Amino acid sequence: MKRPVYIFNAGELQRQQNTLRFTLADGKRRFVPVETTGEIHVFGEVSVNTKLLVFLAQNAIPLHVYNYYGYWSGSYMPREQYVSGYLTLKQAEHYLDHEMRLVLARAFVRGAMENMERVLGYYARRGVELDGQLAEIAGKKESLPLALTTEELMAVEGGCRDLYYGCWDGIVKSEEFRFEKRTRRPPANRINALVSFGNSLLYVTVLSEIHRTHLDPRIGFLHTTNQRRYTLNLDVAEVFKPIIVDRVIFSLLNRGAIQAKHFHKGTEGVFLNESGRKTFIEAYETRLKETIKHPKLGRPVSYRRLIRMELYKLEKHLMGDEPYEPFVSRW
Amino acid sequence: MYVIMVYDVNVKRVVKVLKVGRKYLEHVQNSVLEGELSPAQYKKLKHEVEKTIDPEEDTVRFYLLRTTRYLTTEELGLPSRNEPDSSFL
């Protein structure tokens, strides 16, 4: 039972009495139980000291920092808990070998596309006219085996995503939340702001989970590994975006929980404001905690756990135990 | 499971017990802490508390709830120190 803590207020986070203490600017203190804290997300202005960082490392709690716009700025990661030279070599091997890399990259794209189909299928059953788009996506899936480079795969995925986003205006029936087209850095309208914020939360969630396995987050397969970025979390997040982030967005908008007043428009684009972010995070956390009956295990498994299991499947694939099959939602 | 920990210990050890409790649970009122724990975390907490108290003089009582679905709380007077299990700070 480890849960994340989100800090929005300004203040100081300290180690005290072998647990965590947050002192607000007005002097009010709150103790945060270390034993039940899984990760810390900092959105506000928070001061920390090295004593705290050492303590966080001892307790294997990552600290993620976000900038003014809610973008992920960086993380303080505890010293690796699990290291396996063998698995790192295997992971690199699968990256360096073109064929091996393509197998994994294709699996990620297929998982993402099938989950998009599931989300659209759900709304199609509820009377939204989506048959044409569903057929087109199915057609795009056929062309996956023909893509021979990761760039081509990315292009197929991009095309599919365009189609998918094109369906949103039919699902979200609100003039205030027209999708029009996907814009990033900065998001040009409200719905793009939601997608960007949700995706960045998911990237960080996957990153935290990767650190609890033997995998190296720097070596991704679909996304090209370069000098600085973590890429494996982006790969795995592709599979889960539709069923976690997008469903949270639909439910928030169709329930009216997020409204136009939850955004502010700066010169740099449109962003969620603090209360909007809190509402979003709350819904996102609830979704991660939600359980489904796992087809193989036959017992309830939360979405967060599902992400971890995805990583274990990847480890198995890399070690040659069992080929990786992306998670596809069943409903 | 949801754990409510209530203690009645000699003044000499009140702070010690509180310190241990705070590592796992949210401090709601004097001598009362509560929060959601896994069975393993609960076991660790119990063990740590056991080491701090004097069994001849002190009592620590745990109320265990499988879920909070049937738990309602009401309050009179000043609000509690902390709202348990909130993800926001």
Side-chain angles (χ1 to χ4, degrees), chain A residues 55-311:
Chain A
F55 187 58
L56 290 181
Q58 274 170 7
N59 287 282
I61 302 172
L63 180 98
H64 305 293
V65 183
Y66 300 80
N67 70 8
Y68 176 77
Y69 298 106
Y71 284 128
W72 175 67
S73 304
S75 300
Y76 170 71
M77 283 296 183
R79 174 175 52 82
E80 290 284 338
Q81 304 288 315
Y82 305 101
V83 266
S84 154
Y86 175 70
L87 197 78
T88 311
L89 273 180
K90 283 285 169 198
Q91 205 180 333
E93 184 191 6
H94 281 252
Y95 181 85
L96 293 172
D97 185 296
H98 182 72
E99 281 307 310
M100 285 167 138
R101 180 180 167 194
L102 213 57
V103 168
L104 278 172
R106 200 177 278 136
F108 289 127
V109 174
R110 187 162 51 83
M113 287 170 79
E114 288 186 0
N115 281 320
M116 285 187 245
E117 282 184 306
R118 288 298 183 286
V119 171
L120 294 186
Y122 173 83
Y123 287 96
R125 287 199 298 279
R126 313 225 138 188
V128 183
E129 192 45 61
L130 294 169
D131 292 347
Q133 287 93 329
L134 276 169
E136 265 191 83
I137 293 183
K140 285 228 186 311
K141 238 169 48 186
E142 311 266 292
S143 65
L144 273 183
L146 304 174
L148 295 176
T149 60
T150 50
E151 286 77 20
E152 282 171 48
L153 275 175
M154 292 278 241
V156 175
E157 206 243 341
C160 179
R161 214 163 264 280
D162 285 342
L163 266 171
Y164 171 69
Y165 286 135
C167 303
W168 283 35
D169 284 345
I171 296 172
V172 180
K173 292 188 174 57
S174 158
E175 272 310 306
E176 284 171 339
F177 291 98
R178 295 283 100 188
F179 199 105
E180 285 150 13
K181 70 182 223 292
R182 180 80 179 112
T183 43
R184 304 179 316 132
R185 294 183 177 269
N189 61 23
R190 299 192 185 109
I191 204 146
N192 273 297
L194 286 173
V195 174
S196 291
F197 186 65
N199 286 348
S200 63
L201 284 180
L202 184 63
Y203 293 146
V204 178
T205 306
V206 177
L207 182 62
S208 296
E209 294 300 323
I210 290 176
H211 272 273
R212 291 172 188 142
T213 69
H214 292 91
L215 293 165
D216 189 323
R218 289 166 299 191
I219 308 175
F221 300 97
L222 175 60
H223 294 81
T224 303
T225 293
N226 61 19
Q227 298 294 321
R228 48 198 177 323
R229 253 270 212 62
Y230 291 131
T231 46
L232 186 62
N233 61 335
L234 307 182
D235 286 4
V236 177
E238 284 311 327
V239 177
F240 288 96
K241 273 180 198 170
I243 47 174
I244 297 180
V245 177
D246 300 346
R247 285 176 62 204
V248 166
I249 295 175
F250 292 145
S251 98
L252 283 171
L253 293 183
N254 288 337
R255 280 191 290 117
I258 290 261
Q259 292 159 4
K261 63 173 187 202
H262 290 116
F263 296 84
H264 65 80
K265 192 176 177 353
T267 43
E268 297 276 325
V270 180
F271 295 97
L272 275 166
N273 65 19
E274 187 180 317
S275 79
R277 275 178 204 167
K278 280 186 181 168
T279 312
F280 194 100
I281 288 172
E282 223 154 345
Y284 174 76
E285 281 300 328
T286 316
R287 168 75 71 217
L288 284 183
K289 266 190 255 160
E290 202 174 282
T291 56
I292 55 159
K293 194 171 172 202
H294 191 273
K296 259 194 200 154
L297 298 176
R299 62 176 170 84
V301 171
S302 72
Y303 278 99
R304 187 185 278 276
R305 190 77 203 164
L306 225 43
I307 296 177
R308 181 88 69 87
M309 288 173 62
E310 202 69 8
L311 299 170

Side-chain angles (χ1 to χ4, degrees), chain A residues 3 6 8-9 17 30 35, chain B residues 23 41 82 85 87 89:
Chain A
R3 60 172 164 270
Y6 293 86
F8 280 95
N9 288 305
Q17 301 173 353
R30 228 193 100 173
E35 297 282 341
Chain B
K23 282 164 67 177
Q41 286 168 339
N82 287 320
D85 284 351
S87 298
L89 272 181

